Amino acid sequence: MRRPPSEEWPIAAAMLPFPASQDAPVDTWVDHLAEVAYEGFTEVDVTDSWVRPGDLSPSRLTDLGEALTAVGLDPVALSAIRRSVIDPETGDENLAYSHRTLDAAAELGCRVVSVGLHRPLLPAQRGAFWFWTEQGPVDSTDADTWELAVTRLRELGRHAREVGLVLSLEMYEDTLLGTAESAVRLVHDIGDDAVGLNPDLGNLIRLHRPVEDFQAAVAACLPVSNYWHVKSYFRDEDRASGTVVALPAPMEMGSVSYRQALRTAVEVGYTGPFCVEHYGGDGLSVAARNARYLRRMLAVATGEARATVLRAVGAAR
């Protein structure tokens, strides 16, 4: 795929800041989407914590498409959250839901569907101020579970290809997509060009425990990535006491350098869309700030910024 110029690179807003609105009137959908468009976005990730397109009736799915058109937003992606196809209790149900979601995403004109192996939050997580400070479910790493993940995600990848989509696998702690090594291995074992990674490494750097090096993980994951949820955190570690604290931060201020990460992404040929996320406070405003930062850093990484500076200085001489 051709690398887009920085100003045209698809950067979507996640719908995470908005309340669950599955049964809301269409006007409510338009209200929410108009807020996204007003912040300067032209693309959106139809995050299913907001609306589950795979569970809409045909007429309501048409209504959602018309709401997107009314505000001028391109639904570049759909992210299905916490619907693991290897969940020991709901894996079969989640697999069926994922297939419905692929069909609905194609109907809406999406290009990417992002799925993961993370499960619903546990009670302690739901009760915490920041859910990632409490232990969540942990995937088994036995051979049968691995093979089930490969088989079911390969099945979804085949479906995605048939309806003109790509499938992206979201990285998340304590799942088979919880480390760079495991996530890359899973993509290779699936072995379908329609399946790649969503290297949402923000999910990992926020953990209150030791984590792998961010830039090394970027270098390992980006060659097999096709969509990228991006966000950042302030992270502080006191090794003497073993204390770790992580708080949401705008991307340009967080503890990891996306300037460097985007250089790596461009160098390895990443051309997929981005989705900007933020938890807490006015998440949409921070996401919009993140999108502006991301576009600047893409210009730097692609050499457009250098060319612009040299052209301006040359014209002034």
Side-chain angles (χ1 to χ4, degrees), residues 48-116:
D48 75 347
S49 58
W50 174 64
V51 170
R52 301 185 308 280
D55 286 341
L56 292 175
S57 67
S59 63
R60 288 277 281 172
L61 187 61
T62 297
D63 288 341
L64 179 57
E66 291 176 350
L68 289 159
T69 299
V71 301
L73 284 175
D74 175 7
V76 67
L78 193 164
S79 289
I81 307 298
R82 302 188 183 281
R83 292 286 193 147
S84 171
V85 295
I86 60 169
D87 188 307
E89 297 180 3
T90 60
D92 293 346
E93 175 187 332
N94 291 342
L95 179 62
Y97 171 80
S98 298
H99 279 295
R100 296 197 305 274
T101 296
L102 287 166
D103 286 332
E107 185 71 22
L108 287 173
C110 301
R111 273 92 82 194
V112 183
V113 169
S114 176
V115 301

Side-chain angles (χ1 to χ4, degrees), residues 117-132:
L117 297 177
H118 40 312
R119 302 181 226 164
L121 298 174
L122 297 178
Q125 292 179 292
R126 292 196 298 270
F129 190 86
W130 300 117
F131 64 83
W132 56 84

Side-chain angles (χ1 to χ4, degrees), residues 37-286:
Y38 187 70
E39 290 293 338
F41 288 98
T42 54
E43 289 89 16
V44 67
D45 180 309
V46 187
T47 320
D48 75 347
S49 58
W50 174 64
V51 170
R52 301 185 308 280
D55 286 341
L56 292 175
S57 67
S59 63
R60 288 277 281 172
L61 187 61
T62 297
D63 288 341
L64 179 57
E66 291 176 350
L68 289 159
T69 299
V71 301
L73 284 175
D74 175 7
V76 67
L78 193 164
S79 289
I81 307 298
R82 302 188 183 281
R83 292 286 193 147
S84 171
V85 295
I86 60 169
D87 188 307
E89 297 180 3
T90 60
D92 293 346
E93 175 187 332
N94 291 342
L95 179 62
Y97 171 80
S98 298
H99 279 295
R100 296 197 305 274
T101 296
L102 287 166
D103 286 332
E107 185 71 22
L108 287 173
C110 301
R111 273 92 82 194
V112 183
V113 169
S114 176
V115 301
L117 297 177
H118 40 312
R119 302 181 226 164
L121 298 174
L122 297 178
Q125 292 179 292
R126 292 196 298 270
F129 190 86
W130 300 117
F131 64 83
W132 56 84
T133 63
E134 294 286 345
Q135 179 63 52
V138 179
D139 279 348
S140 171
T141 57
D142 64 83
D144 288 344
T145 302
W146 185 270
E147 186 56 34
L148 181 63
V150 169
T151 299
R152 289 189 163 182
L153 293 171
R154 185 184 288 148
E155 176 184 326
L156 292 178
R158 182 167 58 248
H159 184 175
R161 188 170 4 91
E162 289 170 353
V163 294
L165 299 166
V166 297
L167 187 73
S168 197
L169 310 180
E170 181 181 353
M171 294 182 67
Y172 199 91
E173 78 267 12
D174 297 327
T175 72
L176 300 184
L177 293 160
T179 67
E181 185 276 331
S182 180
V184 171
R185 178 186 161 211
L186 189 59
V187 169
H188 285 316
D189 282 4
I190 292 167
D192 188 327
D193 288 343
V195 181
L197 277 186
N198 170 358
D200 191 346
L201 297 166
N203 289 340
L204 306 183
I205 64 170
R206 68 191 178 193
L207 298 177
H208 286 199
R209 61 172 104 154
V211 295
E212 62 185 308
D213 181 80
F214 176 79
Q215 300 299 344
V218 168
C221 294
L222 264 294
V224 296
S225 296
N226 55 11
Y227 187 45
W228 195 356
H229 288 175
V230 290
K231 54 182 176 279
S232 195
Y233 293 82
F234 296 115
R235 180 178 175 87
D236 183 51
E237 300 181 7
D238 182 347
R239 294 187 178 181
S241 65
T243 301
V244 179
V245 176
L247 300 171
M251 286 172 63
E252 62 197 289
M253 299 177 184
S255 297
V256 296
S257 172
Y258 275 95
R259 183 184 292 263
Q260 180 179 341
L262 291 170
R263 283 196 179 103
T264 300
V266 168
E267 287 170 0
V268 301
Y270 179 76
T271 58
F274 294 88
C275 175
V276 285
E277 300 180 321
H278 186 79
Y279 285 99
D282 183 353
L284 180 59
S285 288
V286 178

